[in-house]
Amino acid sequence: MLPDPPVPGAPPEQWWPPIALTAPWLSENAARYDLLHVHFGLESFSPDDLRAGIDAARQAGHPVVFTVHDLDNPQIVDQEPYRALLDVIVPAADRLVTLTPSAAAEIERRWGRTSLVLAHPTLLDDAAAPVGEDDPVREDDPVRVGIHLRDLRPNIDAERAVHAAVDAVRMRDGAGRPVEVEVLLNERVRDERVAERVLAAASGQTAVRVQRTPYLDDAEVEAWLGGLDLFVLPYRHGTHSGWVELCYDLGVRVAGTDVGHIRAQHPSEFHVVDLDDPRTLADAVTWAGDARHPSSPVGDRLASRRAERREERLSVRDAHARLYADAIAGVPA
């Protein structure tokens, strides 16, 4: 894969709208690539700009592949501009890929296009060992629940999530193992007023703590998640989730709202909750705590899972290679 062109005068990791999806770059660099595979970044363009980029790749004789991660964009509230972009690229792409059968069914229903369903591969490095897999669990250990509100992007229902956590802990008071809920919130957020309400929602609580932190890198996220029994995804809308994949890698169960196709990624380890009904979250806490009972062979299960996920990653890579070869050769989808 070609590296993203650097931003002139900016630090190496500086994000910018993906120039490799613009018509001038795709035309001027036609000899440098054989196929254009789009994953994210559509919202940086207008429908006309996106159409021009696809046309430039086609005019250069190169096929276009689009992986439909998002049918709803988690970064925005009004989805109509994003849907207009999907209406450009989904019908136009030579090949479509998505992560779950249910998302493929929605794509076929909305656009009459079939998609190749490929699971999201593991997010762990081959050498990584999930944190805590060998730590013994005792009967009186608390059930550890985590919620990461990040920078309060639009699809995160932050305040309701904290209120639900407070009520769920209260409902479970005296029922088996104690519960500890850690809520992480970035120091820099999109709406400081919402951050203040989140802090107020947990004020005076001993079992639900809100902590503001700098942006966590991948290793820090893995270390934090690996110490949990349950991770909560309080989404208003969304389609798929990388957090679900990482939790699956780490053997951490997930409780989340029933939006998009997130629970279809790993349904056996996903518990649907309703943030307006804290009993559902209390039930999820019990479900996750039972899975990490002292008698549960956590280490053996995670070792087996890591081996399976490594094999899956190889099969996903092979499937992409075949997809690219067929698209370049003009084999009908």
Side-chain angles (χ1 to χ4, degrees):
M1 296 182 294
L2 299 180
D4 195 35
V7 183
E13 299 302 318
Q14 175 69 47
W15 182 90
W16 67 338
I19 193 173
L21 194 49
T22 62
W25 191 94
L26 289 163
S27 297
E28 293 166 9
N29 293 273
R32 298 183 59 209
Y33 69 99
D34 300 296
L35 177 144
L36 173 65
H37 190 167
V38 181
H39 288 261
F40 297 106
L42 301 185
E43 66 274 11
S44 300
F45 303 94
S46 70
D48 287 343
D49 291 335
L50 180 60
R51 190 175 293 109
I54 295 170
D55 288 346
R58 287 270 175 67
Q59 289 166 9
H62 303 319
V64 177
V65 175
F66 178 45
T67 293
V68 190
H69 293 277
D70 293 329
L71 288 160
D72 286 307
N73 191 316
Q75 303 290 347
I76 58 178
V77 176
D78 180 8
Q79 296 295 319
E80 288 308 313
Y82 182 72
R83 289 170 185 158
L85 293 165
L86 291 179
D87 284 339
V88 171
I89 193 168
V90 172
D94 296 280
R95 297 286 197 284
L96 296 175
V97 179
T98 195
L99 307 182
T100 55
S102 57
E106 181 177 346
I107 293 164
E108 185 164 13
R109 184 171 64 252
R110 289 171 61 176
W111 291 283
R113 295 290 311 272
T114 58
S115 306
L116 175 64
V117 177
L118 293 176
H120 194 298
T122 178
L123 289 167
L124 290 182
D125 180 83
D126 286 338
V131 176
E133 70 172 55
D134 296 322
D135 295 342
V137 180
R138 299 175 300 185
E139 292 281 359
D140 58 347
D141 281 348
V143 181
R144 297 161 298 178
V145 180
I147 307 173
H148 202 316
L149 303 177
R150 285 169 278 176
D151 66 347
L152 299 176
R153 73 185 190 184
N155 78 322
I156 294 179
D157 205 344
E159 191 177 358
R160 285 172 68 213
V162 176
H163 280 298
V166 170
D167 291 341
V169 169
R170 187 179 298 119
M171 288 178 176
R172 275 188 45 91
D173 188 30
R177 292 165 59 191
V179 181
E180 293 179 355
V181 181
E182 185 173 31
V183 182
L184 299 190
L185 177 65
N186 288 1
E187 290 175 347
R188 297 179 62 182
V189 296
R190 305 189 191 199
D191 192 329
E192 191 59 41
R193 292 170 299 177
V194 175
E196 291 171 0
R197 294 200 298 269
V198 167
L199 291 167
S203 178
Q205 303 296 320
T206 57
V208 180
R209 296 178 294 108
V210 179
Q211 179 182 356
R212 300 194 71 164
T213 71
Y215 181 84
L216 302 182
D217 62 25
D218 290 349
E220 290 169 328
V221 168
E222 290 171 16
W224 178 70
L225 280 177
L228 301 177
D229 299 298
L230 181 70
F231 179 66
V232 181
L233 281 177
Y235 286 170
R236 292 188 177 97
H237 61 271
T239 307
H240 297 112
S241 171
W243 289 88
V244 169
E245 298 297 336
L246 185 54
C247 284
Y248 186 77
D249 287 332
L250 296 168
V252 177
R253 293 194 164 191
V254 178
T257 48
D258 192 10
V259 298
H261 305 280
I262 296 172
R263 67 170 171 166
Q265 291 174 250
H266 297 288
S268 66
E269 301 202 10
F270 189 95
H271 192 290
V272 174
V273 297
D274 179 349
L275 297 181
D276 289 326
D277 182 2
R279 172 59 61 186
T280 61
L281 182 54
D283 291 343
V285 171
T286 301
W287 167 73
D290 289 346
R292 196 173 167 81
H293 190 271
S295 63
S296 176
V298 176
D300 291 344
R301 176 167 53 84
L302 288 183
S304 175
R305 176 167 298 175
R306 286 205 306 280
E308 292 172 0
R309 292 284 271 172
R310 284 194 292 267
E311 289 299 315
E312 182 182 59
R313 178 162 54 191
L314 293 175
S315 68
V316 169
R317 287 174 175 170
D318 289 344
H320 276 88
R322 291 193 298 272
L323 171 70
Y324 295 155
D326 287 348
I328 292 168
V331 176

